[in-house]
Amino acid sequence: MAKVLAVLSSGYKDEENNYQTGWWGEELFAPMELLEKSGHLVDLASPLGGKPDIDQISISEEYDPQGTYKELYESGKADETQKLSDVNPADYDVVLVIGGHGAMYDLAKNEDLHRIINTIYDNEGIVAAECHGPAPLIWTTRPDGKSIIAGKKATGYPDEIEPEGLLDILPFSLEQEMTEIANYDKGDLNQKAHAVWADNQIVTSRDPFSSELMGEELVKALEKRK
């Protein structure tokens, strides 16, 4: 059994632009379900601890037509998170950074999260990030001062499918920042899901529709490590 730390944004409100965001339902619950079915333990953490704010759009009828993730959310499955500052990364085999635009605000430059990512990586664990979740990898620096994904193949949410006008208020473009330091690979946008391994320890996925694929990739990787 592996121990997985899923990291969620605590949420973000931009009152000036009437914009509110957080973590994305499917990106937590789809991989969590697969990992737990395979016997692995998933703990949750966020910058503030407690109940983090979900992006309500992620559990709307448009993105969750069967109500699967809404039901899991309302069951309280993600109501309790530990504070990132309290996490002992030595306890975990995997860190999984959940996307949603919230990750760009309170996870991207979070030094506690960078510490967790580096420690798990140094302990030969797996670093995984979904959709906007790769944002913290950009600013996670190694002892040589370079990003953990510098020059490596990685993916994340592309500019061309960002909601109209949102790039104007986001703190940065994920695609542009990743392109500057990594070998950014958005894959074929006509294919439903896309995930890539940078090396045998770092895996990133492109969008919410790649959430199940991320779960499958992690289950396979952990099986190989037994």
Side-chain angles (χ1 to χ4, degrees):
M1 178 192 79
K3 285 189 76 177
V4 179
L5 182 72
V7 178
L8 293 77
S9 166
S10 288
Y12 178 80
K13 287 180 185 174
D14 176 351
E15 290 178 2
E16 186 183 335
N17 292 293
N18 193 29
Y19 175 63
Q20 187 168 344
T21 188
W23 57 277
W24 198 265
E26 183 174 358
E27 293 176 38
L28 171 65
F29 295 127
M32 179 190 258
E33 185 176 37
L34 289 167
L35 286 160
E36 289 181 341
K37 272 187 182 172
S38 298
H40 305 300
L41 179 70
V42 182
D43 287 343
L44 307 182
S46 66
L48 301 178
K51 185 176 179 178
D53 290 341
I54 194 169
D55 190 319
Q56 292 291 332
I57 295 169
S58 73
I59 50 173
S60 67
E61 215 170 292
E62 182 182 358
Y63 287 95
D64 183 21
Q66 308 301 320
T68 307
Y69 307 116
K70 184 177 184 185
E71 187 177 330
L72 285 165
Y73 176 68
E74 290 178 348
S75 77
K77 204 164 169 64
D79 280 6
E80 284 300 322
T81 65
Q82 55 186 315
K83 276 188 183 178
L84 285 174
S85 57
D86 293 339
V87 169
N88 179 3
D91 291 341
Y92 295 97
D93 306 289
V94 180
V95 56
L96 171 62
V97 186
I98 307 304
H101 287 101
M104 300 177 73
Y105 292 94
D106 64 353
L107 298 183
K109 298 182 182 180
N110 187 294
E111 292 181 2
D112 289 310
L113 179 53
H114 299 165
R115 169 183 60 86
I116 291 164
I117 290 168
N118 272 322
T119 303
I120 289 174
Y121 189 78
D122 288 338
N123 290 343
E124 300 187 352
I126 295 171
V127 174
E130 305 175 85
C131 193
H132 292 89
L137 304 185
I138 298 165
W139 286 280
T140 299
T141 54
R142 302 295 294 154
D144 62 4
K146 292 181 180 176
S147 162
I148 197 168
I149 52 169
K152 295 177 179 177
K153 193 173 179 183
T155 192
Y157 205 75
D159 284 352
E160 65 199 270
I161 55 175
E162 286 285 12
E164 189 178 348
L166 194 55
L167 276 172
D168 296 334
I169 64 169
L170 287 174
F172 54 89
S173 153
L174 181 64
E175 178 178 347
Q176 288 164 37
E177 291 287 348
M178 290 186 79
T179 300
E180 277 190 30
I181 59 149
N183 176 10
Y184 177 74
D185 170 25
K186 67 183 168 192
D188 179 355
L189 292 178
N190 293 314
Q191 284 191 324
K192 187 185 173 191
H194 182 60
V196 297
W197 286 86
D199 53 32
N200 63 0
Q201 288 182 261
I202 300 174
V203 58
T204 51
S205 59
R206 182 182 62 203
D207 49 39
F209 310 110
S210 307
S211 304
E212 196 170 320
L213 176 61
M214 173 60 86
E216 291 165 358
E217 290 293 320
L218 289 174
V219 168
K220 277 192 292 187
L222 289 169
E223 187 63 35
K224 279 183 192 170
R225 286 166 172 246
K226 273 187 182 176

